[in-house]
Amino acid sequence: MKLDHIGIAVKNIDETLAIYKKLMQFQEKRTEVATQKAKVALIPVGGVSLELLEPTSEDSAVWKFIAERGEGLHHIAFEVENVEASMEEFKAKGFRFLYDKPAPGKFGSRVNFMHPKETGRVLIELTQHG
Ligand code: CMX
C-alpha cells in the first residue's frame, strides 16, 4: 500500500489554504464529496496530498469531529488496487470496517474506513482511485 493522503479537518478551506500558500507553492484541486458532506481541497506535496476537509452540514462526520476535538489531523488514507479485496484481506485478520461496501469518494474513488478505536486512535481510510 502507498500513503495516498492525510486528511485535515478545517472550519474554512480558504483560510487554511492561505496558511499553506505561505509555506509552499501549489495548485490545489477542489471538489465536494456529497456522501461525506464535506468540501475538499487537495494540496499535492511529495507524491501524497494533504486533504483539507470542510463540513457542509451539521450531520457531517467532519462537523462532529471539529465540534468535539477541534480542527486538525483527521485521518490517513492508503491507496489500494482493489478496495473489496483489501477489505476481505483485512477482515480475515480481524479488522472491521465502517461500511459493508465501499462508499463513493472524491473524483470517482471508492473508499472505506477502519474505526479509530481499533487502529490506535487514528482513522484509517482505504481508497481505490476511480
Ligand atoms: N480520529 C481519531 N479518533 C476519532 C475520530 C478521528 N477522525 N473521530 C472520532 N474519533 C474518536 C472520538 O474522539 C471518540 O473517542 P472517545 O470514545 O475516546 O471519546 C470515538 O472515536 C467516538 O467513536 P464513535 O462513538 O463510534 O463515533 P463518532 O460519531 O465520533 O464517529 C467515526 C467516528 C470514525 C465512526 C465517524 O467519524 C465516521 O463515520 N467517519 C468516516 C467518514 C469520514 O470521516 N468522512 C470524512 C471525509 C473523508 C474523505 O472524504 O476523505
Side-chain angles (χ1 to χ4, degrees):
M1 291 199 296
K2 165 184 174 296
L3 183 63
D4 185 78
H5 65 264
I6 298 169
I8 302 172
V10 304
K11 290 180 183 165
N12 184 298
I13 276 185
D14 292 313
E15 287 176 10
T16 310
L17 277 172
I19 296 171
Y20 283 94
K21 292 220 162 165
K22 288 184 192 164
L23 296 172
M24 53 189 145
Q25 290 188 326
F26 59 86
Q27 182 57 56
E28 72 274 12
K29 267 171 88 175
R30 289 178 184 245
T31 188
E32 184 165 335
V33 186
T35 46
Q36 298 291 346
K37 298 181 178 136
K39 287 196 274 188
V40 173
L42 291 173
I43 302 174
V45 51
V48 294
S49 302
L50 302 182
E51 180 184 86
L52 306 184
L53 291 160
E54 177 188 321
T56 55
S57 157
E58 289 188 21
D59 57 355
S60 157
V62 182
W63 183 290
K64 187 169 185 220
F65 178 90
I66 292 173
E68 289 178 354
R69 300 166 58 119
E71 295 178 291
L73 288 178
H74 181 265
H75 68 271
I76 57 174
F78 296 107
E79 181 186 351
V80 294
E81 275 183 26
N82 181 315
V83 67
E84 276 102 347
S86 294
M87 284 170 58
E88 289 312 311
E89 181 187 340
F90 298 138
K91 280 201 270 186
K93 292 178 182 171
F95 290 98
R96 289 186 296 162
F97 285 85
L98 292 184
Y99 313 136
D100 292 338
K101 293 183 176 169
K106 60 185 183 293
F107 302 124
S109 63
R110 297 166 66 244
V111 304
N112 209 339
F113 299 86
M114 297 180 200
H115 198 286
K117 281 190 160 175
E118 297 182 11
T119 50
R121 307 195 69 81
V122 174
L123 176 62
I124 292 181
E125 174 184 327
L126 300 184
T127 184
Q128 175 186 338
H129 286 296

